[in-house]
Structures are given as C-alpha cells and as structure tokens.
Amino acid sequence: MLEITTLAERPEYLERMYEFAGAWPAFMHNDPIGNAFMGQVPVHFPDQCVIATEDGEFVAHGRSIPFVFPDEHRTDLPSGGWDRVLHWGFQDLRAGRTPNVSSALEILIRPSHLGRGLSHEMLAAMRRAVQAKGHTALYAPVRPNGKTDAHQPMTKYVEQRRPDGLPVDPWLRVHVKAGGEIVQVAPRSMVIAGTLDEWRTWTGLPFDRTGDIVVPKALVPVHVDVEHNHAVYVEPNVWIRHDL
C-alpha cells in the first residue's frame, strides 16, 4: 500500500532524504547553492516536504520552499531559477518575512518505482501541502530531463508537443497535466563550476580541449577552458506556475 505524508508527520525519515540521491548524475551534486541550502530545507520546512512509502519501503520524496513573491524587488520570476529561489527562501526565513507562495525544488523517485505514475501523486501531495499553508501558488523550476540534444536551445525544446498537445518532456507533461502553466525559461537555473580534474572525476571524460563538451545527462554543453583550467555548466530550467 502506498502512503504519502509530509516529513512533519514522519520525522523519522529526515535522515533518509538522500537515500537514493544517486539517481542524479554525479556532477549535479556540485552546485554550491544546492550544497549550501538543500540539506536545510527538510529541517526548516518539514511540512512542505512529502514522503512516500510502499509496504514500509521508502520510495519517493519531494521538497518545496516558501518565499515571498512578488514584491518591490521581485517583480519577475528569477532567471537564476532553482539556485535563486533557494536563496530567496532562506533570505525570507532569516528576515522573518511571511511567505505567500512556494517553489518545488525536487521530486525524486526510487529508480525501481519509475514509470508507475508516482510522479503525479507526489506532485499532487506537494500541491496539497503548500495549499494547506494558505499559499496562492506553487512554482517549479522544472528540470526537463527528457531533453537529449544538448545543443538544442531550451526555448525550442519547451515548444515541442505531442499530438495530444501536451509537452513531449515527461516532467513538463506531469506539471501541465496537473494544471501547471509553463511561464518561461530560467536560463541559468543552476551553475556548476570546477577544475578540469574535478570534472574528470565527476564524468569520467578527458576534458582535454577548450570549447563546448557534451556530458551525459547534461541539458546543455559544458564550457571548457583548458588554458585557465576550469569548466562551467550553466543549466536552464523551465518555470511552471500552479495556481492554488
């Protein structure tokens, strides 16, 4: 039997939030903003983190963060996407501001349970958790991991539709089917920089030439500068709004 609750209701799962984080490619674990803040999300906002178990097995979790939007300084959704909304959420927490909206940060499903519609149920549970706090909207800087052509601009990818009119990308489709609206591309949602040796460790690739290099599971190419011994990945995501 599948059971979905919030982490606030099942705090014993706090220490297990990274149990199957290996589903992400290794380089994705090296975003400095994410490393600084993501571990604090379930600590400070357990009522906005959702947990799924099936017959006692931990099979999925999701995290969201509350923030204030819009205000006089935040008139548009940030081009900095995932990184920026994490910063906004903790900036508001420190300032004691009262959030009115939330942003999804992650829905992660155990690989053995993919393809069973669990993503739809987890998103619905996250919407309910946010709505219970009286927030007017759930935003999401979605990572469209169905994008396989790193050279295709994200602005073009989000326009692709199936014959039924839904997005070709599975995660965008989950959000649209749930009532979400694609708002805009966040062109620098996550920025990951490292030395060439670090990138070699993360990917197993040689990183021995200057220019753009396509890395498996990266949505866009990685920019490499051999002379200056660094490579930078700037990932675009897609902002989606769920009116609650």
Side-chain angles (χ1 to χ4, degrees):
M1 177 177 292
L2 182 70
E3 182 180 8
I4 302 179
T5 64
T6 66
L7 181 63
E9 297 169 288
R10 306 172 79 181
E12 67 273 18
Y13 282 92
L14 176 62
E15 300 302 323
R16 301 180 63 183
M17 294 293 285
Y18 289 95
E19 192 167 291
F20 40 95
W24 294 108
F27 69 88
M28 293 288 291
H29 294 282
N30 294 278
D31 171 53
I33 301 296
N35 289 345
F37 292 123
M38 275 294 277
Q40 294 301 308
V41 172
V43 175
H44 291 283
F45 312 110
D47 54 345
Q48 294 196 209
C49 296
V50 289
I51 299 293
T53 58
E54 185 176 62
D55 299 324
E57 181 186 11
F58 184 29
V59 297
H61 68 81
R63 309 182 215 195
S64 68
I65 190 169
F67 65 106
V68 176
F69 182 78
D71 67 12
E72 60 178 325
H73 302 293
R74 303 173 184 173
T75 56
D76 298 298
L77 288 170
S79 60
W82 193 83
D83 279 355
R84 191 61 172 159
V85 80
L86 265 170
H87 178 258
W88 279 1
F90 280 97
Q91 184 181 52
D92 291 342
L93 177 67
R94 289 193 303 270
R97 305 181 77 194
T98 301
N100 61 317
V101 300
S102 286
S103 175
L105 296 171
E106 173 186 59
I107 292 177
L108 192 58
I109 298 169
R110 189 178 291 276
S112 59
H113 285 68
L114 292 171
R116 296 174 48 182
L118 189 51
S119 56
H120 297 272
E121 297 187 61
M122 292 297 288
L123 177 58
M126 186 177 289
R127 284 171 52 112
R128 290 193 299 270
V130 170
Q131 195 168 23
K133 299 191 73 170
H135 292 182
T136 59
L138 173 68
Y139 292 92
V142 176
R143 184 177 200 264
N145 55 13
K147 184 177 183 293
T148 57
D149 180 359
H151 295 288
Q152 181 185 33
M154 185 63 78
T155 51
K156 298 296 183 183
Y157 181 70
V158 297
E159 295 175 353
Q160 294 186 343
R161 295 290 186 272
R162 304 191 312 182
D164 62 4
L166 291 170
V168 298
D169 184 83
W171 268 115
L172 293 179
R173 194 160 61 246
V174 166
H175 282 268
V176 170
K177 289 178 74 172
E181 177 187 358
I182 295 174
V183 180
Q184 65 195 54
V185 169
R188 52 178 182 88
S189 192
M190 182 180 291
V191 179
I192 299 171
T195 66
L196 301 186
D197 277 344
E198 286 173 329
W199 275 98
R200 292 175 186 126
T201 299
W202 300 338
T203 66
L205 299 177
F207 279 83
D208 55 0
R209 62 176 180 83
T210 294
D212 288 346
I213 293 180
V214 175
V215 170
K217 298 186 179 180
L219 303 185
V220 295
V222 177
H223 305 290
V224 181
D225 189 323
V226 171
E227 182 179 3
H228 292 96
N229 188 29
H230 68 249
V232 182
Y233 174 65
V234 183
E235 177 169 291
N237 288 166
V238 180
W239 276 116
I240 290 183
R241 181 181 66 244
H242 295 262
D243 291 325
L244 303 177

